[in-house]
Amino acid sequence: MIGRKRRGPGRRGMMRLPAGSWWRPALVIVVPVLVVTAAAMVVFLLVLDHSTSAARLDLIRTALAVGAGTGAIMTLVLAWRRQWATEHDAAERRLTDQYVKAVEQLGSDKAAVRLGALYTLERVAQNNPDQR
């Protein structure tokens, strides 16, 4: 790992937002929804017949439904990303704890404890090739 800068477990995964910055995730959802809704409205106006008021209402309803679907998909993607980051951070935390405990046990007076620490370090290295 020479030349590579190690990042701590808190720096991987999703970006940590400070408390009160609720508007960033909202922007990630709202802007694409507005763009897709406007694009759907323009496409429907160009392609479909909108000569009657009932047809215009159906066109608006359909464009809004497309926008709502886009919002639902964006919300699901953000929730999945947050869940993945949480699981990834928990796994990194477990790995770090296991490594720290094993290193602490290497300094033990008892040979059996030191041997167990070596086996633990070997298991950590075998299960995590990128952390070797």
Side-chain angles (χ1 to χ4, degrees):
M1 293 197 28
I2 297 173
R4 285 180 52 189
K5 184 176 178 183
R6 284 201 65 200
R7 293 184 288 172
R11 295 186 186 262
R12 294 186 182 184
M14 261 186 62
M15 189 174 75
R16 303 282 183 229
L17 297 175
S21 64
W22 56 269
W23 57 273
R24 286 182 187 153
L27 232 72
V28 169
I29 294 174
V30 171
V31 170
V33 167
L34 291 176
V35 168
V36 168
T37 304
M41 187 76 74
V42 168
V43 168
F44 292 156
L45 281 172
L46 293 175
V47 174
L48 300 176
D49 177 30
H50 53 75
S51 57
T52 65
S53 62
R56 278 190 218 122
L57 270 173
D58 285 340
L59 182 131
I60 292 170
R61 280 189 203 129
T62 305
L64 290 175
V66 167
T70 304
I73 289 170
M74 293 294 295
T75 303
L76 286 173
V77 166
L78 286 176
W80 171 80
R81 185 175 171 212
R82 181 174 292 138
Q83 178 68 28
W84 178 86
T86 301
E87 290 173 1
H88 182 72
D89 286 347
E92 289 288 321
R93 210 172 305 116
R94 280 191 305 271
L95 173 67
T96 302
D97 290 343
Q98 196 175 27
Y99 176 78
V100 168
K101 287 179 185 176
V103 169
E104 287 174 357
Q105 289 175 348
L106 284 176
S108 175
D109 294 336
K110 300 178 182 177
V113 174
R114 290 192 306 265
L115 186 62
L118 286 175
Y119 283 132
T120 302
L121 287 174
E122 179 191 15
R123 188 174 66 234
V124 166
Q126 291 296 329
N127 292 340
N128 303 289
D130 57 331
Q131 299 290 328
R132 289 183 186 164

